[in-house]
Amino acid sequence: MIYYEQFVLDNGLRVFVHEDESTPIAAVNILYNVGSRDEDPSRTGFAHLFEHLMFGGSRHIPSYDEPLQKVGGENNAFTSPDITNYYITLPAANLETAFWLESDRMLSLSFDPQVLDVQQKVVIEEFKQRYLNQPYGDVWLKLRPLAYQQHPYRWATIGKDISHIENATLDDVKAFFFKYYLPNNAILVVAGNVTVEQIKQLCKKWFEPIPAGEQYIRQLPSEPIQGEARKLETSAKVPLNGLYKAYHMPGRFDLDFYRTDLLSDMLGRSKSSRLYQKLLRDNPLFSNVGAYLTSSIDPGLLVVQGTLNAGISLEEADAAVEAVIQEFVEQTVPEDELAKVKNQAEATLAFAEVELLNRAMNLAFAANSGNPDLVNEEAAHIQAVTADDVQSIAGKVLRKENCSTLYYRAA
């Protein structure tokens, strides 16, 4: 159970405090309600670029890392299609340093042309190394636009094309910052050896003077229901053939998400899963195979993927996966199999709560959904899922016409 108190500053910043006297550490997490889904289709990769730019100096602080390191702190960030998240852990005695740093870069970046130039080069190199020059690295550059025709999930967080980052101007950067990096478009979570009153005073000093901006109202195109199976073939110099199958599924805050999550676990989470047992142990068509979810806020994807053993054709492997899936859809879900994946899912939740930073992040993510109590309700949602629920959602999600298949051939 993650206990918390919350309040809202005059500028709209939502603040959540999780007190834990058992640790000498504090975690400060700021979630900005902007991800790659909010980008202009002709200017993609900006949310991720900003993750880098936010460490390049702010209005009054030329170096972000140096003051933090001097007080024993660490920091990092990540960007997803849905959010951009920044976090600091440091000794609780030095908490104000984190407030000073984070409030100054929320107020304004330095907008130094040299910083933009440096970070553009860093992101472009990351694009090349992770997506273009790595085996199977471009899978999501191909699979996303195959599965999504309208929704901005159709491009990866890194962006659609390197040119979008290369051509970013300082005016583009400023416009993006002042549209999304606002106190009223952010959630602050402070966890650890702190008090609510202490956090109220620090927020009043450091964050409340930052003016609110125009409220961002998200209006994204919905993805139409997929009415026919899609298929794409590609090839590259990779060790083995790869198979990727993506099925549309409910979004992260839909109750059917939990049913689909357990479905994916039964299909391909572990060595006891159906795909592993049938297609790797009993009939070794794959060198590895599994299933997972993108867990996105808007309707996401259940993905089955694997690399094939040498000498196995993609057509044969695809037919074998389809057979496993069809059997799942048609046969009753065994209660003991469902109970096992429920226990695995609950154990994952419990282990996640051990780390203070994970608690802060999970609370921020739940708050961003509009229901911060969700951080403590997920175990109950998991346990409420029945075998009939899993059977029902399998019939809806695992339809052939709801699937986009990518054959990745070894050249």
Side-chain angles (χ1 to χ4, degrees):
M1 180 71 71
I2 300 175
Y3 298 97
Y4 65 88
E5 292 190 40
Q6 61 180 302
F7 55 92
V8 182
L9 302 185
D10 290 343
N11 58 14
L13 179 65
R14 289 169 287 169
V15 184
F16 295 80
V17 183
H18 167 59
E19 297 183 4
D20 182 354
E21 296 179 355
S22 69
T23 176
I25 299 298
V28 177
N29 191 94
I30 295 189
L31 182 154
Y32 288 94
N33 185 28
V34 56
S36 57
R37 64 174 171 163
D38 299 295
E39 295 165 346
D40 185 316
S42 64
R43 290 183 175 87
T44 63
F46 270 56
H48 176 250
L49 175 62
F50 256 85
E51 177 197 322
H52 288 259
L53 290 174
M54 288 285 278
F55 293 97
S58 53
R59 181 177 290 184
H60 303 108
I61 305 169
S63 171
Y64 180 88
D65 288 329
E66 186 178 335
L68 188 60
Q69 291 168 353
K70 285 182 177 179
V71 297
E74 296 180 346
N75 73 92
N76 214 325
F78 63 85
T79 313
S80 80
D82 299 311
I83 63 169
T84 311
N85 197 72
Y86 301 86
Y87 53 91
I88 292 174
T89 55
L90 76 174
N94 297 326
L95 178 62
E96 190 163 7
T97 298
F99 274 72
W100 169 59
L101 290 167
E102 289 293 355
S103 63
D104 199 63
R105 65 178 182 177
M106 180 184 285
L107 175 66
S108 180
L109 293 182
S110 66
F111 298 118
D112 184 339
Q114 185 176 354
V115 171
L116 175 59
D117 181 63
V118 168
Q119 295 305 326
Q120 281 174 304
K121 291 175 180 175
V122 169
V123 172
I124 288 166
E125 187 60 29
E126 180 183 347
F127 199 125
K128 291 177 180 177
Q129 286 188 357
R130 292 182 55 192
Y131 293 84
L132 301 183
N133 299 330
Q134 182 171 295
Y136 313 105
D138 61 347
V139 162
W140 282 104
L141 299 181
K142 300 179 184 300
L143 192 56
R144 280 190 176 277
L146 181 65
Y148 290 102
Q149 308 288 293
Q150 298 295 327
H151 194 281
Y153 285 162
R154 66 185 184 272
W155 57 81
T157 305
I158 195 74
K160 283 197 293 187
D161 193 275
I162 286 180
S163 64
H164 292 186
I165 301 301
E166 289 174 331
N167 298 331
T169 68
L170 205 55
D171 286 342
D172 292 334
V173 167
K174 289 180 179 180
F176 192 92
F177 181 88
F178 289 114
K179 180 176 182 179
Y180 298 115
Y181 278 75
L182 307 167
N184 48 313
N185 197 47
I187 292 168
L188 169 65
V189 176
V190 185
N193 198 354
V194 301
T195 67
V196 174
E197 186 57 36
Q198 174 192 16
I199 303 308
K200 284 183 177 179
Q201 293 302 316
L202 287 172
C203 282
K204 187 176 183 65
K205 177 180 179 180
W206 292 106
F207 282 102
E208 199 158 66
I210 302 172
E214 183 178 346
Q215 185 65 48
Y216 171 53
I217 299 174
R218 183 174 282 111
Q219 295 177 307
L220 304 179
S222 299
E223 184 64 24
I225 295 174
Q226 186 170 330
E228 60 181 8
R230 299 171 188 152
K231 184 178 176 182
L232 177 68
E233 294 197 27
T234 189
S235 63
K237 291 183 178 180
V238 294
L240 298 165
N241 290 336
L243 176 68
Y244 302 83
K245 300 180 73 66
Y247 298 83
H248 291 279
M249 60 162 286
R252 182 65 180 81
F253 302 123
D254 190 307
L255 283 179
D256 274 344
F257 172 87
Y258 300 98
R259 299 164 182 173
T260 315
D261 192 18
L262 294 173
L263 160 63
S264 75
D265 288 349
M266 294 170 75
L267 271 178
R269 172 172 176 162
S270 66
K271 290 184 178 181
S272 62
S273 67
R274 298 193 185 192
L275 288 169
Y276 187 96
Q277 290 289 311
K278 294 178 183 294
L279 304 183
L280 198 148
R281 191 196 66 174
D282 297 344
N283 182 20
L285 302 179
F286 288 83
S287 62
N288 64 75
V289 65
Y292 60 90
L293 312 181
T294 56
S295 298
S296 49
I297 291 178
D298 291 337
L301 299 173
L302 184 160
V303 181
V304 174
Q305 74 174 59
T307 50
L308 283 55
N309 282 323
I312 305 299
S313 73
L314 279 160
E315 290 76 11
E316 179 184 3
D318 192 7
V321 169
E322 290 282 2
V324 173
I325 287 173
Q326 194 60 33
E327 181 182 68
F328 196 111
V329 171
E330 293 176 353
Q331 295 184 4
T332 302
V333 173
E335 292 288 350
D336 60 339
E337 187 179 5
L338 176 58
K340 182 175 183 177
V341 294
K342 280 185 177 182
N343 291 338
Q344 289 174 335
E346 277 209 78
T348 299
L349 287 177
F351 281 125
E353 288 191 8
V354 172
E355 293 290 337
L356 180 68
L357 180 58
N358 284 343
R359 277 177 265 157
M361 285 186 183
N362 290 341
L363 179 54
F365 191 68
N368 192 53
S369 77
N371 176 24
D373 289 338
L374 183 65
V375 74
N376 296 317
E377 295 172 352
E378 292 207 289
H381 288 319
I382 290 169
Q383 285 301 330
V385 175
T386 66
D388 286 343
D389 290 335
V390 176
Q391 196 80 48
S392 175
I393 200 65
K396 294 175 184 177
V397 172
L398 298 176
R399 296 176 293 107
K400 289 184 178 180
E401 61 270 25
N402 188 42
C403 181
S404 296
T405 303
L406 174 65
Y407 282 5
Y408 205 116
R409 297 191 185 276

